Amino acid sequence: HLARSGGTPADVARVPRELFAYAQFCDAHARGPGAEAPAAVLEEALDGRLPCGEGGLPLVELLGALPPGLALSVEMRSKRLREAWPDPLQRARVVAESTRRFLASARAHG
């Protein structure tokens, strides 16, 4: 919720490294619904996540602002993915593959 709360990767870079146990990643459209539309905010949170690197959030920059080697958790609640891959195991494989591609691409740019 860094981007939705107005935070930036630069804000994260200023946090003392020892305070991080892990980071949770997801992607979404660059502009999301605002506080004036709480139902839309909830819908995005529950069903509108995108695979890492497919949205408009500054994930590469965020990854660079985090301590090296930090454990990442990927949050991928997505109606689109549930419909495309109803089997949870297959859906997990798709998310894992797309996350690996994102991380490889981020390393190439970092």
Side-chain angles (χ1 to χ4, degrees), residues 1 4 32-49:
H1 301 286
R4 297 300 187 249
E36 72 285 350
V41 170
L42 183 60
E43 181 180 344
E44 181 191 48
L46 295 178
D47 288 324
R49 304 293 187 202

Side-chain angles (χ1 to χ4, degrees), residues 60-75:
V60 172
E61 295 84 355
L62 178 57
L63 193 60
L66 292 168
L70 186 70
L72 298 178
S73 166
V74 178
E75 178 188 17

Side-chain angles (χ1 to χ4, degrees), residues 67-90:
L70 186 70
L72 298 178
S73 166
V74 178
E75 178 188 17
M76 272 303 311
R77 286 198 52 114
S78 167
K79 182 178 180 185
R80 182 185 78 171
L81 285 174
R82 284 193 310 276
E83 290 174 348
W85 292 277
D87 175 58
L89 183 56
Q90 183 59 32

